[in-house]
Amino acid sequence: MPNPVELSYWQCESILRAEVLGRIAFSAPDGPHILPINFSVVDEAIIMRTSPDSLLATHGCGVTVAFEVDYIRHNYRRGCSVVARGETEIVTDPAEAAHINRVWEPRPWAGGARPLLLRLRWGELSGRQLDAGWDPLSEMPVRRTETRPR
Amino acid sequence: MPNPVELSYWQCESILRAEVLGRIAFSAPDGPHILPINFSVVDEAIIMRTSPDSLLATHGCGVTVAFEVDYIRHNYRRGCSVVARGETEIVTDPAEAAHINRVWEPRPWAGGARPLLLRLRWGELSGRQLDAGWDPLSEMPVRRTETRPR
């Protein structure tokens, strides 16, 4: 069985920037939660949208969270994953929000109002791939350009 | 944009039993962590393997965790996810371990010794799919039979 191989910072960032859907983990009084969520990457931060009454807004703002993206090939029993960790914050400055919307606005697939912009500036970024003999970036189905305004 | 639809308990359990790779979230002194991990389902519990010196063994045993599986179709901007939450425990009883190995042994894709059997009996099991007009189970690439002994 293959051993996991650590990805470089550059590879981690490239994989993060190629995806549009990840999973955020945050702690609540009743323990950890995981939530799949659409995101974008602007500058050195993950940007998400949420609603003020969500579990994420209630327990996931201004705290340390973990955010994961992965690409899994079941048939080959291989894959890669990238985890970003750091503190989140709500973007309240209109100039910063305008910058985010100009560069790469997060586009939730799900309907519903999500007026809050949540930013995760990663302090840690690490990743692994299972089996060294393939290039995740060349296989991943998603490219950032897919989410750009048309 | 489509609204998320809640999955029934039966659908959640079926999706969980169809997958072999999920993500576990647990809290450590430095905040939440997410880890992709292979698993199986035996009776009403998720079974994983880990090594005694792992972050998961150190901080994820005997505590509440969240465990997630999902199936994402980027091209259609839809997907489904199931989250199980509950307390983990190390399986130490040889009879229970033998039962697990007989029913459906978790098979890590990665090399390395993982002698600890970690069990998550879910207290909560919930899930959602984006867009009601498709059946995740008929599209998911993985079936439990793939991991059965040959």
Side-chain angles (χ1 to χ4, degrees):
Chain A
M1 285 188 294
N3 285 312
V5 181
E6 296 290 324
L7 298 172
S8 70
Y9 185 91
W10 179 86
Q11 286 176 306
C12 290
E13 196 178 323
S14 301
I15 289 169
L16 203 58
R17 287 181 190 275
E19 252 296 349
V20 296
L21 194 131
R23 298 141 201 104
I24 189 167
F26 55 96
S27 296
D30 66 346
H33 287 260
I34 306 185
L35 192 72
I37 192 165
N38 289 104
F39 72 103
S40 70
V41 180
V42 175
D43 305 327
E44 305 291 298
I46 291 162
I47 310 290
M48 296 154 277
R49 284 197 167 278
T50 190
S51 65
D53 58 348
S54 67
L55 202 64
L56 177 59
T58 307
H59 300 293
C61 297
V63 295
T64 298
V65 304
F67 184 90
E68 190 254 13
V69 300
D70 58 41
Y71 173 62
I72 310 296
R73 296 293 303 274
H74 285 94
N75 289 350
Y76 298 94
R77 300 189 183 195
R78 72 189 187 194
C80 69
S81 70
V82 171
V83 174
R85 297 180 73 242
E87 206 166 302
T88 53
E89 59 186 338
I90 300 289
V91 177
T92 53
D93 179 359
E96 288 185 339
H99 171 67
I100 286 167
N101 290 340
R102 202 165 48 236
V103 175
W104 184 15
E105 188 185 4
R107 304 195 153 201
W109 291 348
R114 290 182 178 74
L116 293 187
L117 272 180
L118 186 65
R119 175 165 55 198
L120 163 57
R121 293 189 209 267
W122 59 80
E124 297 169 32
L125 188 63
S126 61
R128 310 171 98 189
Q129 82 177 65
L130 196 54
D131 189 350
W134 63 292
D135 175 22
L137 273 167
S138 70
E139 290 193 16
M140 286 177 69
V142 182
R143 285 293 172 271
R144 172 182 169 178
T145 49
E146 188 188 335
T147 65
R148 279 189 178 282
R150 280 175 287 236
Chain B
M1 285 187 294
N3 285 313
V5 181
E6 296 291 325
L7 298 172
S8 70
Y9 185 91
W10 178 86
Q11 286 176 304
C12 291
E13 196 178 324
S14 300
I15 289 169
L16 203 58
R17 287 181 190 274
E19 251 296 350
V20 295
L21 195 132
R23 298 142 203 103
I24 188 166
F26 55 96
S27 295
D30 66 345
H33 287 260
I34 306 184
L35 191 72
I37 192 166
N38 289 104
F39 71 104
S40 69
V41 180
V42 174
D43 306 328
E44 305 290 301
I46 291 162
I47 310 289
M48 296 154 277
R49 283 197 167 279
T50 191
S51 66
D53 59 347
S54 67
L55 202 65
L56 177 58
T58 307
H59 300 293
C61 298
V63 296
T64 298
V65 304
F67 185 90
E68 192 253 12
V69 300
D70 58 41
Y71 173 62
I72 310 297
R73 296 293 303 272
H74 285 94
N75 288 351
Y76 298 94
R77 301 190 182 193
R78 72 189 186 192
C80 68
S81 70
V82 171
V83 174
R85 297 181 73 241
E87 206 166 302
T88 53
E89 59 186 338
I90 300 289
V91 177
T92 53
D93 179 358
E96 289 185 338
H99 171 67
I100 286 167
N101 290 339
R102 201 165 48 235
V103 175
W104 184 14
E105 188 186 5
R107 305 196 152 200
W109 291 347
R114 290 182 178 74
L116 293 187
L117 272 180
L118 186 65
R119 175 165 55 199
L120 163 57
R121 292 189 208 267
W122 59 80
E124 297 169 30
L125 188 64
S126 62
R128 310 170 98 188
Q129 81 177 66
L130 196 54
D131 189 351
W134 63 293
D135 174 22
L137 273 167
S138 70
E139 290 193 16
M140 285 177 69
V142 182
R143 284 295 172 270
R144 173 183 168 177
T145 49
E146 189 188 335
T147 65
R148 278 188 179 283
R150 280 174 287 237

